[in-house]
Amino acid sequence: MNRIVVSAILVLLLMLFLTRIDFGGDGHVMAESMMALGFTLVVAYLAGKMIERFKLPKITGYLIAGILIGPYFLNLLSVEVVKNLQLIDNIALSLIALTAGGEFRFSAIKKQLRLINSAIFWQIIIVILLFTAFVLAYFKKISFLQNESFLVILGAGMLFGALSIAKSPATTIAVIAETRAKGPFTDFVLGVTVFKDVVVVIIFSIIIAFAKPMIMREEQIQLIYVLNVFIEIILSMIFGIAAGGIILLYLKYIKEQKVLFLLGFIIFCIEISHIFQLEVILIFMVAGIFVQNFSRAGQPLIEAIEEVSLPIFVTFFAIAGASLKLPVFLENWKLALYLVTLRLIGTYLGTNIAGRVNRSGDQIKKYGWMGFVGQAGLTLGLATLTLKQIPGPIGIGISTLIISSITLNQIIGPVLFKFSLHKSGEVRANN
Amino acid sequence: MTPFLGLLLILVTTFIGVRFFGRSTVLKAPLLSGLIMSGVPYILIGVILGPRMFNFLNDDVIIHLKPLISMAIGWVGLLFGLQLRWRNIRRFPGNYVLFTSVQSLVSFMIIFLGMGAILHFIGHPSLRSRPEAILILAALGSMTAPLSIGRIIIEKKVKGRLAHLLQFVSSLDSIWGIIIAGITMAIYHSPALRWISGQWQWILLSIIISIVIGVIFRFLFSTRFGQDETFLIVLGLIIFSSGVGFYLRLSPIFITMVVGITMAQFHRETDKVMRVLHMAEKPTYVFLLVFAGASWNFHFGEEILLIVAFIVIRFLGKYAGGWISARRIDCGFPIPRNVGKALLSFGGVSLALAFNFQLFYGGFMGDFLMSATILAILFFDEYTAVSIRHILQRQGELT
């Protein structure tokens, strides 16, 4: 372990020295981005190894390393470099979604289907109600809502709720992959994560369709927006099945160079999804589910992904850490803390009620909620969409507060989830 | 086309290339085997996909994918450096190293002087005024690719001292070319920094940084890692060290080679890294070839005579290098005087060096070096497929 610490410090010092040499000129950012990518990969991974010693998940180490080397702390990765490196986000998310789908076994989920649906239902209802009530009760403490009408405050409250129900599938998958957890508790969290990802997008589109006219003082509710989202989801699912079919045929008949094939195919699907405005995450989740449940190629698929997933996970989470907006968080930390607490309470209540209604085991009632705390890309994407749909101070205010709370949720989320997996006794890796 | 789609296209080509690269069924025609093994088909695919023909891989895509090229260059450099384990080299007769160095440096001098004279009298103005282009051209021309020799030795199960020597020379003689290229890029470095202005300081900086990176990673690799962890760290090492070269505008291939040499001196750790590097050797090479074809900007009228001159002078240089070494250096057995004809194989490291030059300097000089390298690969790999057999047959090591 000492070697890892010393190596990490030495690489850090070398990078500090190198970034002090500034040449400027054309191609400089590209060169800096490349150097930064290699540096991030090594340092973040070593940070993950170090943090593992304290029984914390490695991805927390990657995230913390990202925050430390990012633009708001040591500034070894500038804002521009972070932006350049975010280009791999789509590839990383696609692989993560494929893994999520590939780990999703109907046979295992079938027994818990009622519980999963119930948990999603109660979490959504309770979180949205709690947030709306909170905003209605404390709007005077929220600067951008102080002088607004009841309808505007109600719309904002609903949006806060809609944005808070989203969770990070990437975090769930990364922690499950790291701990090699297997069992009903893991299946429950995975099931909720996969289904909720779809439900959240639908719920968000419905709520924004209602909240937008309330906040923007428009007369008409834009249901066409909801319809578009439905079409997008259905098309993404169809495309996901087709993608799964192609992966399946490849794994069955060609087999060679699986990693090269997967990377190429993912890039192809990302491009197609951009052209037809489809949901990349959904496409690959469905593709993974299809391969796992309608063939025997599920295991080879997971093995092929595992060959390449570690560097992608490390880079993805480190860059996610580096892109967390610390100044925004520091400006709004008190309100962010309220939002995080409220979300924790809502998630706990939702999961606990679902557990009681379905007479599930104590583990799900006690620790199930801990699997749904992490927040990252999806929430960030929805917050950006909010800003786009509701431009002006209220849109900015909502997205800023949500981004601030993502910082906290993403740090505590993996820790809580790993803890819950240990408590459930389903962890198989030697940590 | 977006850079992502461009990458996809190269990935698909690489994928198909790796599947068919070296398949025995396509190698049955002896006349074509040299061309196929040298990777010429992938260069041609690159040309077809590139801006010169279908423009799928347009200039914008090529610019965006340059970091990947830098990474592939780093891969080549690290792999080469890791092979230079002193403990292994020492096992061979001492004169093998001398033979390798003399033939390589003689070839370098002849190509440098020959091309320098031609370019001085008839060359393009932009080439005449930039000696670094001639130095790098001579450096890459002095290298021997081990692929053709290795393939014949394995396929025909050749056993003999000459075959052994040829394999040794072709595996090692690129070191001088890379060192010369590294020094050249440091000497012609611009712009200068406040605290690094002298050319020797740049040379020193590139060596020190490479050794520091090598020592840190050697230290890190002494920890026990799983295979996926080793893969991650090797990937990080390559991207980081070639990124450092790219960032400091020093040769990435030189930096990664020195990193590799530093690490190679520690037995156990090197083996782990080598295994990972070998896993991606073929895709990396095919990727380089496809990309070379796509970014090949051939100025036919201006370049063709110069390239013919380069091919002729390289032939003479290698021949003379082999001739002098065979006459002057005693390797413990009679070496044919025309041994240089078996050391003409051209490929991977030279191509990486030409790319390195094009990445940094671009323009007509970069295009010329790329054209010279690509056409030389085409010519020499076809030629050596025959010449190596011929020399080994005459030596009685191949029937």
Side-chain angles (χ1 to χ4, degrees):
Chain A
M1 183 50 73
N2 289 339
R3 280 188 187 148
I4 287 175
V5 177
V6 173
S7 306
I9 292 170
L10 289 174
V11 177
L12 204 72
L13 288 175
L14 184 62
M15 187 70 179
L16 264 170
F17 165 74
L18 288 167
T19 45
R20 295 297 168 264
I21 306 173
D22 187 9
F23 290 106
D26 290 343
H28 176 72
V29 176
M30 201 191 271
E32 197 183 340
S33 303
M34 201 179 153
M35 180 171 75
L37 176 64
F39 164 74
T40 307
L41 205 55
V42 175
V43 165
Y45 183 70
L46 297 181
K49 287 287 269 186
M50 283 186 242
I51 215 148
E52 201 183 17
R53 220 181 171 189
F54 306 102
K55 306 262 181 225
L56 293 173
K58 281 182 189 164
I59 75 158
T60 305
Y62 310 154
L63 282 164
I64 291 173
I67 293 171
L68 288 178
I69 61 177
Y72 308 109
F73 213 85
L74 287 174
N75 196 23
L76 293 173
L77 311 180
S78 64
V79 176
E80 237 174 338
V81 167
V82 171
K83 214 171 152 189
N84 265 349
L85 297 182
Q86 278 175 326
L87 285 175
I88 70 148
D89 273 8
N90 265 336
I91 298 180
L93 283 171
S94 307
L95 269 175
I96 288 164
L98 200 56
T99 315
E103 297 279 7
F104 190 91
R105 292 174 182 84
F106 281 146
S107 53
I109 302 291
K110 213 161 55 184
K111 297 170 207 155
Q112 305 197 62
L113 206 56
R114 273 175 61 98
L115 177 64
I116 289 168
N117 287 337
S118 171
I120 294 171
F121 174 79
W122 286 110
Q123 278 178 18
I124 289 173
I125 294 289
I126 292 176
V127 168
I128 291 178
L129 284 178
L130 264 179
F131 271 82
T132 312
F134 173 81
V135 173
L136 283 172
Y138 292 96
F139 70 93
K140 284 199 172 154
K141 296 204 169 172
I142 304 170
S143 60
F144 58 91
L145 292 177
Q146 273 167 0
N147 303 316
E148 297 296 340
S149 66
F150 174 77
L151 269 184
V152 174
I153 298 166
L154 181 68
M158 283 157 60
L159 263 178
F160 268 121
L163 287 164
S164 300
I165 54 175
K167 72 172 299 289
S168 160
T171 308
T172 310
I173 293 303
V175 177
I176 291 176
E178 183 191 323
T179 52
R180 299 190 185 281
K182 218 170 193 160
F185 184 84
T186 312
D187 288 337
F188 165 71
V189 176
L190 193 66
V192 173
T193 303
V194 171
F195 284 133
K196 203 173 170 186
D197 199 56
V198 182
V199 177
V200 161
V201 178
I202 297 171
I203 299 280
F204 176 79
S205 67
I206 294 171
I207 286 184
I208 203 159
F210 282 94
K212 191 182 170 189
M214 289 157 93
I215 295 170
M216 305 293 282
R217 297 178 178 86
E218 291 167 353
E219 284 182 3
Q220 277 188 330
I221 293 171
Q222 293 180 334
L223 281 175
I224 187 79
Y225 183 73
V226 183
L227 189 70
N228 280 342
V229 170
F230 266 105
I231 294 171
E232 203 176 279
I233 286 174
I234 289 166
L235 284 179
S236 302
M237 284 177 157
I238 295 170
F239 191 75
I241 293 171
I246 293 171
I247 294 173
L248 182 62
L249 288 174
Y250 184 87
L251 292 176
K252 198 170 174 186
Y253 294 108
I254 302 181
K255 292 175 192 163
E256 284 174 47
Q257 298 289 338
K258 289 176 207 155
V259 173
L260 215 54
F261 163 76
L262 274 181
L263 283 178
F265 189 63
I266 282 172
I267 294 172
F268 171 74
C269 291
I270 290 172
E271 287 293 325
I272 295 282
S273 70
H274 282 165
I275 295 168
F276 295 103
Q277 295 189 319
L278 304 175
E279 274 290 320
V280 179
I281 296 181
L282 193 55
I283 289 174
F284 283 103
M285 269 193 188
V286 173
I289 292 171
F290 182 81
V291 175
Q292 177 60 261
N293 295 285
F294 296 99
S295 75
R296 288 179 188 165
Q299 197 51 35
L301 173 69
I302 296 293
E303 280 164 13
I305 297 170
E306 274 174 0
E307 271 184 55
V308 74
S309 64
L310 186 62
I312 292 196
F313 276 179
V314 174
T315 317
F316 175 75
F317 285 108
I319 298 304
S323 51
L324 287 177
K325 296 188 172 28
L326 284 191
V328 177
F329 170 71
L330 291 173
E331 269 174 38
N332 305 287
W333 69 272
K334 272 189 187 166
L335 263 176
L337 212 61
Y338 281 128
L339 296 185
V340 171
T341 314
L342 211 59
R343 187 168 173 268
L344 290 178
I345 295 169
T347 312
Y348 169 76
L349 287 176
T351 317
N352 193 279
I353 291 173
R356 283 176 195 282
V357 170
N358 291 280
R359 291 182 190 148
S360 71
D362 276 353
Q363 283 162 347
I364 284 173
K365 279 187 269 182
K366 272 189 192 168
Y367 308 113
W369 63 280
M370 292 179 178
F372 312 110
V373 178
Q375 264 188 322
L378 179 62
T379 322
L380 213 57
L382 296 180
T384 315
L385 206 63
T386 307
L387 194 60
K388 219 167 149 187
Q389 291 287 323
I390 306 169
I394 296 177
I396 294 172
I398 294 173
S399 59
T400 306
L401 272 181
I402 289 294
I403 290 168
S404 307
S405 62
I406 290 175
T407 309
L408 268 182
N409 283 327
Q410 189 56 356
I411 291 173
I412 58 172
V415 180
L416 287 175
F417 185 35
K418 189 176 177 184
F419 175 77
S420 70
L421 286 174
H422 272 287
K423 283 285 173 192
S424 71
E426 293 180 3
V427 172
R428 293 191 303 164
N430 284 329
N431 288 311
Chain B
M1 178 171 281
T2 65
F4 254 161
L5 272 182
L7 176 62
L8 169 67
L9 204 56
I10 293 188
L11 276 176
V12 171
T13 317
T14 305
F15 168 76
I16 297 167
V18 171
R19 262 180 74 80
F20 292 104
F21 198 90
R23 288 244 165 139
S24 56
T25 45
V26 286
L27 292 173
K28 277 182 182 160
L31 270 177
L32 288 176
S33 67
L35 281 178
I36 290 165
M37 276 310 293
S38 65
V40 169
Y42 310 111
I43 295 177
L44 291 178
I45 291 171
V47 173
I48 292 166
L49 298 175
R52 286 292 167 120
M53 286 190 77
F54 287 108
N55 202 25
F56 290 136
L57 299 172
N58 55 37
D59 291 329
D60 188 45
V61 173
I62 290 170
I63 288 169
H64 274 92
L65 296 182
K66 273 186 177 171
L68 285 178
I69 281 299
S70 195
M71 198 180 116
I73 293 171
W75 199 285
V76 172
L78 188 67
L79 189 59
F80 182 75
L82 283 171
Q83 289 167 8
L84 303 177
R85 188 184 294 163
W86 180 240
R87 209 181 291 169
N88 286 358
I89 294 172
R90 231 175 25 187
R91 286 186 200 144
F92 292 89
N95 278 354
Y96 275 29
V97 177
L98 193 62
F99 185 100
T100 307
S101 305
V102 169
Q103 74 79 30
S104 175
L105 291 172
V106 168
S107 314
F108 168 77
M109 283 310 292
I110 290 173
I111 300 169
F112 177 66
L113 294 174
M115 286 308 290
I118 289 174
L119 289 166
H120 183 75
F121 292 114
I122 59 161
H124 195 278
S126 67
L127 273 168
R128 208 165 30 187
S129 60
R130 301 293 293 268
E132 68 268 35
I134 308 167
L135 278 165
I136 301 228
L137 182 67
L140 63 85
S142 70
M143 298 172 177
T144 309
L147 198 66
S148 304
I149 296 166
R151 190 174 66 86
I152 290 173
I153 287 174
I154 292 166
E155 247 180 32
K156 305 281 175 192
K157 295 183 180 122
V158 182
K159 275 183 190 152
R161 296 170 83 177
L162 181 62
H164 195 227
L165 175 69
L166 289 178
Q167 210 171 13
F168 181 86
V169 174
S170 65
S171 306
L172 232 73
D173 78 343
S174 298
I175 188 171
W176 290 108
I178 297 177
I179 289 173
I180 291 165
I183 292 173
T184 304
M185 285 187 190
I187 287 176
Y188 289 93
H189 193 282
S190 68
L193 284 175
R194 196 157 34 90
W195 45 278
I196 307 176
S197 51
Q199 294 151 340
W200 289 106
Q201 286 170 325
W202 278 113
I203 296 173
L204 212 62
L205 181 75
S206 57
I207 296 171
I208 290 173
I209 282 194
S210 314
I211 293 176
V212 168
I213 297 174
V215 170
I216 294 174
F217 279 85
R218 174 260 168 264
F219 183 66
L220 180 58
F221 276 114
S222 56
T223 312
R224 229 183 255 173
F225 288 118
Q227 204 189 340
D228 54 342
E229 293 174 313
T230 308
F231 174 72
L232 178 137
I233 296 169
V234 171
L235 196 66
L237 165 66
I238 290 168
I239 300 173
F240 180 62
S241 36
S242 49
V244 168
F246 204 16
Y247 180 73
L248 296 177
R249 293 186 71 78
L250 294 166
S251 167
I253 194 167
F254 174 75
I255 287 184
T256 47
M257 181 191 77
V258 178
V259 170
I261 293 175
T262 311
M263 289 173 64
Q265 309 318 315
F266 307 96
H267 187 79
R268 251 180 335 139
E269 292 77 36
T270 315
D271 285 348
K272 282 195 284 189
V273 181
M274 282 284 262
R275 269 198 296 276
V276 169
L277 287 174
H278 277 305
M279 262 163 42
E281 194 182 2
K282 272 186 191 171
T284 306
Y285 189 49
V286 174
F287 177 80
L288 263 180
L289 292 168
V290 175
F291 211 85
S295 53
W296 185 15
N297 199 9
F298 188 36
H299 310 268
F300 189 84
E302 291 165 283
E303 284 180 3
I304 191 71
L305 281 176
L306 289 174
I307 291 169
V308 171
F310 169 69
I311 289 173
V312 172
I313 292 175
R314 181 173 187 263
F315 184 91
L316 293 175
K318 283 301 233 184
Y319 191 92
W323 189 77
I324 292 172
S325 308
R327 272 195 68 177
R328 294 282 171 194
I329 299 160
D330 179 19
C331 289
F333 66 95
I335 300 169
R337 300 282 159 90
N338 62 352
V339 67
K341 282 161 77 177
L343 295 170
L344 282 162
S345 176
F346 209 43
V349 185
S350 303
L351 187 64
L353 198 53
F355 258 127
N356 191 168
F357 187 85
Q358 203 195 32
L359 275 177
F360 282 14
Y361 300 96
F364 179 79
M365 289 191 307
D367 293 342
F368 169 64
L369 256 72
M370 282 299 291
S371 302
T373 309
I374 290 171
L375 291 174
I377 289 177
L378 214 146
F379 174 79
F380 285 119
D381 276 8
E382 185 55 19
Y383 178 80
T384 48
V386 180
S387 69
I388 297 168
R389 280 166 215 247
H390 184 69
I391 287 170
L392 288 174
Q393 272 164 354
R394 291 195 67 172
Q395 188 79 356
E397 294 183 7
L398 176 67
T399 47

